[in-house]
Amino acid sequence: MSQDYKANITRSSIWMRLVFMIIFAVAFNVAEIVIFIVTVFQFLASLFTGEPNDRLVRFGRNLAKYIQQIIAFMTFATEERPFPFSTWPDEPDNETPADQPVILQPEKTAAGEDQTNTSTKAKPRKRTTRKSPTGPKTRRKPS
């Protein structure tokens, strides 16, 4: 067995990370249940009042950020531990209102060009009418 391999296995920080990953896996599953509950309440609020509950919209945004933090930690994208080991993600009230769609802008390169694929963009089509070479179509009567 090589020394590097033995040193990696006996390193306590990786085992502590495993403990935290298990804790956050449980938190992720609890968050999934909370998302379902928020979804049901938002649907009912929209059904009866005609608009979503603003507090639940804000909570939903914060919960989405929290889940993003959990995923980033569990996939080793970051070393920062999510809530309760750091602060709860709290977006300000002046974010995009729930009734307005979020419009994603294409990323620009250093030259200022869009990175979107132009071949997939819808192009307007010209409308043309086809004329039958023999004149108007006539229907036959069933015999």
Side-chain angles (χ1 to χ4, degrees):
M1 199 181 324
S2 72
Q3 281 299 89
D4 292 337
Y5 182 69
K6 189 174 183 177
N8 287 338
I9 290 179
T10 58
R11 197 174 64 200
S12 64
S13 63
I14 195 73
W15 294 107
M16 282 304 297
R17 185 175 181 96
L18 175 66
V19 170
F20 286 118
M21 289 173 72
I22 292 170
I23 290 169
F24 289 121
V26 171
F28 182 84
N29 288 315
V30 170
E32 283 182 316
I33 295 168
V34 173
I35 287 172
F36 178 75
I37 293 169
V38 168
T39 303
V40 169
F41 278 114
Q42 281 293 48
F43 176 77
L44 293 174
S46 294
L47 184 66
F48 294 119
T49 65
E51 59 185 38
N53 182 306
D54 291 335
R55 289 182 183 168
L56 285 179
V57 168
R58 182 174 179 207
F59 177 72
R61 282 192 192 119
N62 294 335
L63 187 59
K65 273 209 163 275
Y66 178 61
I67 289 172
Q68 180 184 14
Q69 290 173 356
I70 289 174
I71 292 170
F73 179 78
M74 290 182 66
T75 60
F76 287 73
T78 183
E79 293 296 318
E80 185 178 343
R81 295 182 198 127
F83 178 83
F85 301 98
S86 64
T87 60
W88 175 258
D90 192 18
E91 292 188 4
D93 284 331
N94 61 356
E95 290 294 318
T96 306
D99 58 342
Q100 292 182 1
V102 176
I103 300 171
L104 299 175
Q105 299 294 328
E107 294 182 22
K108 302 233 182 217
T109 61
E113 301 169 350
D114 285 350
Q115 288 186 343
T116 55
N117 187 354
T118 56
S119 64
T120 60
K121 289 184 180 178
K123 295 178 183 175
R125 293 184 178 184
K126 293 182 180 178
R127 295 190 99 174
T128 59
T129 55
R130 291 187 184 181
K131 294 183 181 179
S132 174
T134 59
K137 292 183 179 179
T138 57
R139 286 189 166 176
R140 290 186 191 179
K141 291 185 181 179
S143 25

